[in-house]
Amino acid sequence: MDTIKYQLRDDQIPTSWYNIAADLPRVDPPLHPGTGQPATVDDLTGIMPKQLAEQELTLERDIEIPATVRQIYAQWRPSPLFRARRLEQALGTPARIYYKYEGGSPAGSHKPNTGIAQGFYNKEAGIRRLATETGAGQWGSSLALAGAFFGLEVKVFMVKVSYHQKPYRRALMHTYGATCVPSPSTETAAGRAILAEDPDCPGALGIATSEAIEVAMNDPFTNYAGGSVLNHVALHQTVIGQEALLQMDMADDYPDIVIGCAGGGSNLAGLTFPFLGEQLRGGKQVRVIASEPEACPTLTKGQVAYDFGDTAQLTPLLKMHTLGHSFVPPSIHAGGLRYHGIAPLVSQALQDGLMEARAVPQTACFEAGLTFARSEGIVPAPESTHAIRAAIDEALRCREEGRSEAILFGLSGHGHFDLGSYEKYMADELADEGYDEELVARSLARIPAPFGQV
Ligand SMILES: *Cc1c(COP(=O)(O)O)cnc(C)c1O
């Protein structure tokens, strides 16, 4: 038996985004960094349009997707869901493995699902330019795509180590008409302060975020656009899980386990929240697994606290699992997973026992990536291999226990721009970074009081 594809019709693209905050027993609001009071829509509109600020704070369950956004989604949505029969055979497992593939978007990942939405609302609000951060370049190229579609300038601060590791992502941003500089840069006060302390700083998403927010705060026609973590970003990604629910139905099956890789938590949220919503409203139970890198173990080793989303402390305080906003993770090849915090909604789901988390080393992930590529044909992004590692481990457990469980994982993007990393892995040049306990402890100690220890 061969791999099977479950494809929906264009008119089955979801008409609304699903907001899990409506169904969670408790959500803690973002706080204004100056007053410590819950942030208001007005507090946020300095750097984002009103509709996105409202989506950030709302407890409404279903948010209508604008017709223009759905029309653009139709270029790659509904995205396919596959039953990985060839992978099942390669593993000799009785488990039924499914994956939802987001690599078919023009930028090659799930990120345009929110990039297009953010481009749309900013254009409507009369904004001319968007500033953002990017790790491996997936988000920068997704926002650059949105900039090209909506006629917006896009300025990207790219984490320096990735800027050099992933030259083709940079080239893709330029191809779409965006500008991209390595971060920390000398263009902002935040970047200059970091460089003064550490001229060889490899950069981090938290630093690049500070640079982008600073640029947005200093120009009324420039807004900030976030690629992960924020509530409205997680919200936009829920088209993934809503489609997957319909596709599992087509397959006449339902997942026992749903797995996503976790950087800032947006693709994980997008795939798993609609399933958790079913469960929270009395439907079927699922086991949800977040798979994160051992080198940046936010969910497994972080603390739950109100912390900043960026190094220079410009963002509202977000209640989340965090390694501390000053943490600079080791330079692993899954650049999109090098973030000190996590989406507050994912953090809450983990605290509520709706999710479990595990940390996996990068070589074991590349090994899983190769197994997947050789059986299913798609070369996964290094970030996505973290979900594949967890899915394969669960499938092997099923083999040992002789159980036939259904496992669904999110394949968040393709790895065509990451083949250099695959070559390094195959040449035995990749090491496991682990994480530096002392560095984490020092960074955790810098979480702001009195909000820090909750
Ligand atoms: C950015 C990225 C991630 C990590 O971001 P999340 O917000 O955690 O989803 C994962 N996979 C791919 C392919 C990415 O580009």
Side-chain angles (χ1 to χ4, degrees):
M1 290 290 255
D2 223 322
T3 288
I4 309 169
K5 172 166 136 180
Y6 297 97
Q7 184 66 67
L8 300 170
R9 301 182 310 271
D10 280 7
D11 63 4
Q12 290 175 294
I13 295 173
T15 54
S16 57
W17 292 300
Y18 166 63
N19 180 16
I20 198 173
D23 291 319
L24 286 174
R26 127 172 219 190
V27 282
D28 294 297
L31 302 182
H32 187 284
T35 64
Q37 294 301 306
T40 62
V41 167
D42 283 348
D43 291 336
L44 300 177
T45 49
I47 55 167
M48 65 178 76
K50 189 153 172 276
Q51 287 95 331
L52 293 177
E54 285 168 353
Q55 289 175 13
E56 192 59 27
L57 301 178
T58 186
L59 295 179
E60 216 176 294
R61 179 177 290 123
D62 299 302
I63 313 290
E64 194 183 336
I65 304 175
T68 307
V69 173
R70 276 186 89 224
Q71 222 160 14
I72 295 176
Y73 277 175
Q75 191 179 339
W76 68 92
R77 308 211 70 82
S79 69
L81 180 132
F82 294 95
R83 165 103 185 252
R85 297 289 276 262
R86 284 192 298 262
L87 176 63
E88 291 168 18
Q89 272 160 20
L91 300 174
T93 178
R96 305 182 299 286
I97 306 177
Y98 299 88
Y99 58 96
K100 176 78 167 157
Y101 183 47
E102 291 296 313
S105 76
S109 77
H110 64 289
K111 294 212 171 72
N113 295 332
T114 185
I116 294 301
Q118 293 189 51
F120 171 78
Y121 290 118
N122 275 290
K123 185 66 183 183
E124 290 255 291
I127 286 297
R128 292 181 200 148
R129 185 170 71 146
L130 293 174
T132 196
E133 75 285 340
T134 196
Q138 292 270 20
W139 169 237
S141 48
S142 299
L143 194 67
L145 171 76
F149 283 1
F150 289 105
L152 293 160
E153 278 177 54
V154 173
K155 167 93 182 184
V156 182
F157 292 91
M158 184 168 187
V159 175
K160 194 184 280 169
V161 53
S162 297
Y163 188 89
H164 297 298
Q165 263 175 5
K166 321 264 176 192
Y168 292 113
R169 276 281 159 202
R170 197 202 316 161
L172 182 59
M173 288 181 244
H174 291 153
T175 302
Y176 286 138
T179 52
C180 174
V181 294
S183 165
S185 78
T186 53
E187 293 188 21
T188 65
R192 288 190 294 271
I194 298 274
L195 288 172
E197 223 179 280
D198 178 9
D200 298 322
C201 178
L205 277 166
I207 296 171
T209 302
S210 296
E211 296 206 83
I213 292 183
E214 186 181 320
V215 166
M217 284 167 71
N218 290 337
D219 176 4
F221 293 103
T222 300
N223 265 346
Y224 168 74
S228 186
V229 184
L230 298 167
N231 293 341
H232 66 266
V233 177
L235 177 78
H236 298 158
Q237 294 298 350
T238 58
V239 288
I240 302 172
Q242 292 185 69
E243 289 173 5
L245 272 166
L246 296 178
Q247 287 161 313
M248 289 305 301
D249 204 44
M250 275 177 91
D252 205 13
D253 207 345
Y254 200 83
D256 296 292
I257 308 175
V258 186
I259 299 170
C261 63
S266 73
N267 87 89
L268 171 73
L271 176 65
T272 65
F273 283 2
F275 286 92
L276 286 176
E278 294 289 313
Q279 173 180 322
L280 285 163
R281 294 191 302 275
K284 288 191 188 129
Q285 301 272 319
V286 281
R287 226 183 116 197
V288 170
I289 301 174
S291 187
E292 66 179 7
E294 201 176 63
C296 188
T298 312
L299 293 168
T300 51
K301 301 280 192 226
Q303 246 176 39
V304 178
Y306 268 108
D307 194 11
F308 294 101
D310 71 318
T311 314
Q313 315 189 355
L314 301 175
T315 68
L317 286 153
L318 305 175
K319 189 167 170 208
M320 59 186 174
H321 285 76
T322 176
L323 296 167
H325 60 272
S326 59
F327 182 65
V328 177
S331 307
I332 53 166
H333 284 257
L337 305 183
R338 292 177 70 240
Y339 186 67
H340 68 274
I342 191 82
L345 290 170
V346 167
S347 176
Q348 189 63 53
L350 182 64
Q351 292 169 63
D352 290 347
L354 296 168
M355 209 181 259
E356 48 194 281
R358 66 177 63 160
V360 285
Q362 76 170 349
T363 54
C365 292
F366 275 103
E367 184 201 22
L370 281 192
T371 302
F372 185 81
R374 288 169 189 180
S375 50
E376 294 296 311
I378 297 169
V379 179
E383 289 83 2
S384 314
T385 63
H386 290 67
I388 299 173
R389 179 73 263 165
I392 288 180
D393 288 345
E394 289 301 317
L396 294 176
R397 176 189 55 76
C398 287
R399 184 176 73 186
E400 246 164 61
E401 296 174 357
R403 293 166 72 97
S404 174
E405 295 176 17
I407 301 168
L408 165 63
F409 72 86
L411 185 54
S412 51
H414 69 66
H416 296 174
F417 294 91
D418 308 284
L419 288 168
S421 306
Y422 275 91
E423 286 224 296
K424 281 213 166 79
Y425 170 72
M426 289 184 282
D428 221 5
E429 287 168 16
L430 280 197
D432 287 326
E433 298 280 349
Y435 83 107
D436 186 336
E437 261 178 67
E438 199 181 308
L439 205 68
V440 169
R442 240 185 301 148
S443 168
L444 286 175
R446 286 167 72 176
I447 293 174
F451 316 113
Q453 316 305 321
V454 183

